[in-house]
């Protein structure tokens, strides 16, 4: 979490650890293969069956679909120049069924 998670400290702590791991693995001699790129995606809400079940009254037009995420990863794999810089924390925002990506 980039902002406070208030009553869910453990949740925020685990997200912060992943952010730090991303930054750490993207620098220097980390043991990763040469040319490896480390990215961390920060979606707000992913559109999954479980989320729809437990948040049935939510606005689904603000949820990022799994096919969008899969296509993004495929593009990054097939077209390395389309990736954000190594070590990026990539914020994914969906509004009115339109998704954008930006580096935090």
């Amino acid at each position: 979490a980039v902002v406070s998670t208030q009553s869910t400290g453990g949740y925020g702590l685990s997200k912060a650890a992943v952010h730090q791991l991303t930054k750490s693995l993207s620098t220097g001699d980390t043991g990763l293969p040469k040319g490896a790129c480390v990215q961390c995606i920060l979606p707000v809400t992913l559109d999954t069956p479980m989320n729809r079940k437990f948040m049935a009254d939510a606005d689904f037009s603000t949820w990022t679909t799994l096919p969008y995420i899969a296509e993004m990863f495929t593009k990054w794999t097939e077209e390395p120049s389309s990736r954000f810089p190594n070590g990026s924390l990539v914020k994914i925002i969906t509004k009115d069924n339109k998704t954008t990506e930006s580096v935090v």
Side-chain angles (χ1 to χ4, degrees), residues 25-85:
L25 288 175
S26 69
T27 59
D29 185 19
T30 62
L32 292 176
K34 182 176 168 106
C37 183
V38 182
Q39 305 281 315
C40 178
I41 64 166
L42 312 173
V44 175
T45 304
L46 293 175
D47 190 353
T48 67
M50 192 66 74
N51 280 343
R52 282 183 179 253
K53 177 180 178 181
F54 289 103
M55 295 184 274
D57 296 331
D59 178 4
F60 301 144
S61 73
T62 64
W63 292 11
T64 304
T65 66
L66 297 182
Y68 180 90
I69 299 295
E71 289 168 12
M72 180 181 69
F73 286 157
T74 299
K75 183 178 179 185
W76 288 355
T77 301
E78 294 174 347
E79 301 172 36
S81 63
S82 69
R83 298 179 197 151
F84 290 95

Side-chain angles (χ1 to χ4, degrees), residues 8-21:
T8 55
Y11 177 74
L13 181 63
S14 66
K15 285 185 167 246
V18 171
H19 298 177
Q20 179 59 39
L21 180 63

